[in-house]
Amino acid sequence: MYLRSPIFLPILTPAVPLTALSTSLLGLIICYSGHTEFTDHNYIKHVVPWVDIQKLERTSNVFLTHTIRITTHNKERDFSMFLNLDEVFKIMEQLADVTLRRLLDNEVFDLDPDLQEPSQITKRDLEARAQKEFFRAFFRLPRKEKLHAVVNCSLWTPFSRCHTVGRMFTSDSYICFASKEDGCCNVVLPLREVVSIEKTENTSLLPNPIIVSIRSKVAFQFIELKDRDNLVESLLMRLKKVHANQPVHYDTSRNEDTTSPVFHSTSMRDDHKFGDLEMVSSQHSEESENEKSPLLNPEALIAIFQQSGSQSLDSRMSREQIKISLWNDHFAEYGRTVCMFRTEKIRKLVAMGIPESLRGKLWLLFSDAVTDLASHPGYYGNLVEESMGKCCLVTEEIERDLHRSLPEHPAFQNETGIAALRRVLTAYAHRNPKIGYCQSMNILTSVLLLYAKEEEAFWLLVAVCERMLPDYFNHRVIGAQVDQSVFEELIKERLPELAEHMNDLSALASISLSWFLTLFLSIMPLESAVNVVDCFFYDGIKAIFQLGLAVLEANAEDLCSSKDDGQALMILSRFLDHIKNEESPGPAGGSHHAFFSDDQEPYPVTDIADLIRDAYEKFGDQSVEQIEHLRCKHRIRVLQGHEDTTKQNVLRVVTPEVSILPEDLEELYDLFKREHMMSCYWEQPSPAVQRHDPSRPYAEQYRIDQQQFANLFKLVSPWTCGAHTEILAERTFRLLDDNMDHLIEFKGFVSCLDIMYNGEMNEKIKLLYRLHIPPALTENDRDSQSPLRNPLLSTSRPLVFGTSHGDVTDYQKQLKQMMKDLAKEKDKMEKELPKMSQREFIQFCKTLYSMFHEDPEENHLYQAIATVTTLLLQIGEVGQCSSSSGSFSQEAAEDLRAPAPSPDQDLVFADPGSTPQDSRAFPEEAGRGDWTVSLEHILASLLTEQSLVNFFEKPLEIKSKLENAKISQYSLKTFEMSRHSQPELKLGNL
């Protein structure tokens, strides 16, 4: 069953007996009752964009059951009587997530090909995307990995001597397995480590088996695979592609059995052992980097700056040896490479603390940074060479923070550690300028450098920033804020008494923000915090959630008795500062918080191993799938909070500069932003990257192009000129586009509207004047052609007209007096604005005539502008040089006594027989001659006609325009989309 976008969901609501709710990538569209044709856009009642939705939840009450509640800006709307509530709600969540992720990641988030065309999205596409997101999050793989297949199967697990039921996931570069029982057994097989994929004999005991062999001479047997032949064929094709990109050769020098060759990359040398842990290193990469950058650290800093503890060294080292022995036993049974079996047993070993000699290497394996390292020989060295020595804002920020990174550790009290930290941070900023450098990256990188080689630390940083903590390290730290919101919900669920006492959990979440950003490294002694990092690299963000809950539970009693947020902060800080690691071979770290050092009473010490054990036992049942679902749910609220903040800051800046009421200004902002949003989902390719830049000032974050401006201009501008409106919108856009980047921001847009609605007459005329001279009016303007044969443009007609009372007014006297006044005084505007040529003046007049159409005073306005036009033409001739005095065609002179046009004439200057080459109608000399008229001339002439003064000074109401625009903005777009893609689509086809 396909659900195309728009997806129609028949519902009943309390307010409207029968209505229809349509969902699309942009939002929810509510139609009037009784109209089942979506393409009839005139009946669209309301639109709720996803970016305006703060909460989406299922609820029920006495009157409504099976209800979905949508909250926007403290307004709630209930929809009930869905045909299938669960399915509808799931679709809504998925569409909201796609939209918000697109807004969040507009620079780096690539939509799946199936989601590129909104009119073709199906329910299957949404489900496939959700599965891909889960796959990448569960195995913490690169975002570029595309999931190809998910197959139910069983994997032979030698440690349990049975087949474990689960699912196989295949992607571009990986084969992964996850057991049906959460945490029982997971496997990650990078295709670059795979030697062969073979089908074996199908038997009743081993139905449809395949064998996947890897470099370390280990084979993985999968059985019960449906459609095995196609699956193997697809895997072999991708395996061949991976090996083609990274050529391999046989290396049997280390193998006694030469009949069983093992593939090795051409850039690989013999496997090395770190302790008893086999690792693969890149010889070519190491040699080339040593040649280019001889100063790169060849080993982890902790090996160079090993600290000596106060405890007996033998005692600490014996504990270290016991741990190493346990790990070696585990490697022998479960594997020692990235392809190892990952079970509850290894999680327990990690929770005890990884031995320091193995820590950096296991971090590489758990995060799969080792695959990136081996796949990019020489990459880091090249980045260092390209980035070092360059000075920019990012490098200045890095330099400021270098000496604040673990200053208590001897490795960062000298230039060796500082230089390595500088190189890694600068190289990463060069690799990923969208992130660049953010605070807390320096602390994390410092710890990575302690336990890993410099190049390894770089790839670990890549894994953390781009895969394990997506959207954390940017100037808005959206990812961390989403997780803080998730953390709040987990507190309410798992620690209800604490949540009840602390009414505002956002204050508590603000305290815990640094826990997530620095993985407890900034608020816990280093020798204890590295154990937390161990758990993080194995379990991902789940480890931080459960440890945070354990910390709060351990202090719940004190927190419930705290009087304010400051006291709660002190309780948590003191607790975290006194977490020790008795098994660390290094010395105990110093206090992070000096203001606690004067305590008279000794504070009880908590062992990190005990805290981590409690975290796993009490809060370790939270699955990756549950966390991802909570993230999806809370991303709506967090991003909407950012959008509200942006809006309020924009309005705060713009409101003092305009006369539009604040509530109307807010509506205008919503219209402006929504016009941008539509470009993200209905235009291909999407120009969102250029138009939305969160790093810009608030008022300039959203920008629109010429076509979008024209759409808004038609909706909200009071200067509607029929067919001429679009031309006037183009000129207005060119006038506002000061920097010529073909985009304008909200401030410019609303300032222009403010003049149209609230400006005085002279301001409005000045704006109209500027719209008809360069740069607003160009030589190539599509409406710049206007003939001069119209009788209204005759300059020789007597300037004597009868008034409505039968009196006669001699305008020649007024003209002479006006010219004298202008000669005495020159307004500042004359210096700012160039004079208007005859061609430009003709366009100016045409716009005025278009504006008067259908006005109640249309007759008087036509007569008045005819008078003013003739007057201004003669003013222009007064200053015209003799060389151009004959520039008017004879035809114009022959029109002296022609009658004035009818007010019903729509296009005053239109001449069907004229063409751009019609020299009689629009002589070339006329456009380039000395005939000019100034803004002062035009303004003074218009002031002589009271009907024109009344027209430009009458109050204009923007509210009605805004009400109509809110409906029309979406209905026209959705109607256009439906007409082009699915004209036959009707309500109720779900």
Side-chain angles (χ1 to χ4, degrees), residues 862-879:
Y862 273 124
Q863 290 294 335
I865 196 61
T867 302
V868 172
T869 299
T870 305
L871 176 63
L872 287 168
L873 284 170
Q874 290 198 0
I875 292 175
E877 286 190 341
V878 171

Side-chain angles (χ1 to χ4, degrees), residues 230-266:
N230 289 334
L231 177 64
V232 171
E233 183 179 353
S234 175
L235 287 173
L236 288 174
M237 187 180 303
R238 288 196 289 277
L239 179 64
K240 183 178 179 181
K241 184 177 180 180
V242 169
H243 285 173
N245 293 335
Q246 301 170 7
V248 295
H249 70 278
Y250 296 121
D251 184 354
T252 60
S253 59
R254 298 173 58 245
N255 303 310
E256 296 179 359
D257 182 9
T258 58
T259 63
S260 179
V262 180
F263 278 98
H264 288 277
S265 170
T266 54

